Amino acid sequence: MTSTYIVALDQGTTSSRAIVFDEHGAILFTAQQEFAQIYPADGWVEHNPEEIWQTALAVTKEACDWVKERGSTVAAIGITNQRETTLVWDKNTGEPVYNAIVWQDRRTAKFCRDLKQEYSEQDLQARTGLLLDPYFSATKITWILDNVAGAREKAEQGELLFGTVDSFLIWRLTEGKSFVTDITNASRTNLFNIVKKQWDDDLLALFKVPASMLPKVLDCTADFGTASETLLGQAVPILGVAGDQQAATVGQCCFEPGSIKSTYGTGCFVVVNTGETMVTSNNRLLTTVAYSIKGTTHYAVEGSIFVAGAAVQWMRDNLSIIDNASETQRLAQSINSNQGVYFVPALTGLGAPHWNPDARGAIFGLTRATGPAQLARAALESVVYQTYDLLQAVREDGIAINNLRVDGGMVANDWLNQCLANILNLEVDRPKVLETTALGAAYLAGLQLGLYQSTSELAERWQKDSEFLPAMEETTREQNLQGWRKAVDAVLGMHQASNGLH
Ligand SMILES: Nc1ncnc2c1ncn2[C@@H]1O[C@H](COP(=O)(O)OP(=O)(O)O)[C@@H](O)[C@H]1O
Ligand SMILES: O=P(O)(O)OC[C@H](O)CO
């Protein structure tokens, strides 16, 4: 019997990956290319759109060629992507008018602060589930239209298109034939009304974004267009799309209300499925669309941390205290306590539950004995404490948590998983397939293809690789958490103090 091949394209913050899955959800082939991070100013983060495109195209082509070499064809493509990252391009030439402004970028912090004076954040939250923060796409679009010469005029004449990375890639893969997005990506823009499930005219007016710039919004399972034969060597339908955290929710089979996953890549994102009910957080978590499959929409509560693996990357690239990320495990376990060193990695502000775009990072408790081991351990622990803060917020919103399914590049690190179990005082489960984001995109495409009939059929496939159980004395746990709280308070205090000075 021949296999059904699905290619999942995962366009992440640091790399583009394409994975060939068979109908059982097994990984057969992976192609990956990293690309440059551009930091033009304090708090600014950009990507070159052509690099996003070239790396995404190259890995997808490689995956399609791998299938072709086996005498077969790819049945469908599923796309998943870094969310919120904003691209604006010319409809006629296909040329982006500016670099992609990345989700981590804080350049519109002042704009958000000013807007809060004239517009109720509560109203925005009721419509979009989100907060008024530079994280989301809307203020990034406004910035491009206001700062790139001639852009606003062209946008008003209907010459410019806006897309999150999914839209941009689909538009290019279909050679300009399909200008669409999916509902999960739309729900991260601050322009999409998640109650009415349509672009919100009042918000378009507020952020001064012409409606003609916006893509058509589809379910996560839909016909998104056909990727061109000229580009891929075979014409392949794009049948599934979701933002990466929502795709990971699908890949982790968190379909039941109350099920929860946490993904550790560049950032960390905790997503709790709340079923068809929308839950509004009282603790500054986001309400967002988990997925919409064949007309049924599930919502989620999400906690977003901007710096997780990025703290490890920063130690590798800026401090050069490690050569590769996996060394952090050896370093962290080489000492038997954190020795009082705490790292608050607010390198691009603080996300949930603080939402403070102006906060900046700090390391506390340095002594003559502090070296790479203490710093690496503090970086890993910071990811764990931030997760603790998110889960506390989730609990305070009345949602019970029984265990946590984890995934993403960082959870290859067993020390991190054990530390999560210890500090969260919770069972932490790591699945067999760690590429849950790509798997989720493949599942969505497979559902649309008719390869899978339902999410419950998919749920039966989830397999545990390892579980990590809490094994820390309560007093040590409490001491560590106290140290973290003091460090975060100091960072927030420092930010207030420096605000006073400017
Ligand atoms: N063994 C490890 N220990 C700690 N961090 C790791 C490890 N392996 C990868 N990472 C971190 O995980 C991130 C990569 O994860 P990935 O899921 O590929 O991210 P993204 O999708 O955001 O590009 C990097 O920031 C890297 O520093
Ligand atoms: O690229 P990742 O995996 O860090 O995910 C980025 C998120 O989608 C940002 O919201």
Side-chain angles (χ1 to χ4, degrees), residues 39 299 395 424 447:
Y39 306 111
Y299 292 91
R395 286 197 181 95
L424 304 179
L447 281 164

Side-chain angles (χ1 to χ4, degrees), residues 13-15 17 264-266 309-310 312-313 325-326 328 380 408-410 412-413:
T13 310
T14 55
S15 73
R17 263 196 297 266
Y264 297 90
T266 304
V312 172
Q313 248 173 4
S326 60
T328 53
L380 297 182
M410 277 194 105
N413 189 319

Side-chain angles (χ1 to χ4, degrees), residues 97-115:
V97 300
Y98 190 74
N99 271 345
I101 302 187
V102 177
W103 56 277
Q104 293 168 314
D105 193 288
R106 316 273 91 200
R107 80 185 62 186
T108 57
K110 182 174 181 309
F111 179 37
C112 289
R113 260 196 315 273
D114 292 348
L115 210 54

Side-chain angles (χ1 to χ4, degrees), residues 12-13 81-84 103 135 244-245 265-267 269:
T13 310
N81 55 287
Q82 51 168 320
R83 307 165 304 165
E84 300 96 12
W103 56 277
Y135 176 29
D244 55 10
Q245 302 312 318
T266 304
F269 303 88

Side-chain angles (χ1 to χ4, degrees), residues 113-132:
R113 260 196 315 273
D114 292 348
L115 210 54
K116 273 184 203 166
Q117 306 303 316
E118 59 184 80
Y119 187 78
S120 138
E121 193 176 40
Q122 237 176 351
D123 181 71
L124 184 78
Q125 194 182 14
R127 291 168 191 249
T128 64
L130 311 176
L131 301 167
L132 196 38

Side-chain angles (χ1 to χ4, degrees), residues 25-26 86 88 117 137 169 238 299 333 429 435 444 469 485:
T86 297
V88 174
Q117 306 303 316
S137 312
L169 293 178
I238 304 165
Y299 292 91
Q333 66 198 15
D429 295 328
E435 294 285 358
L444 291 169
L469 299 172
R485 275 181 216 120

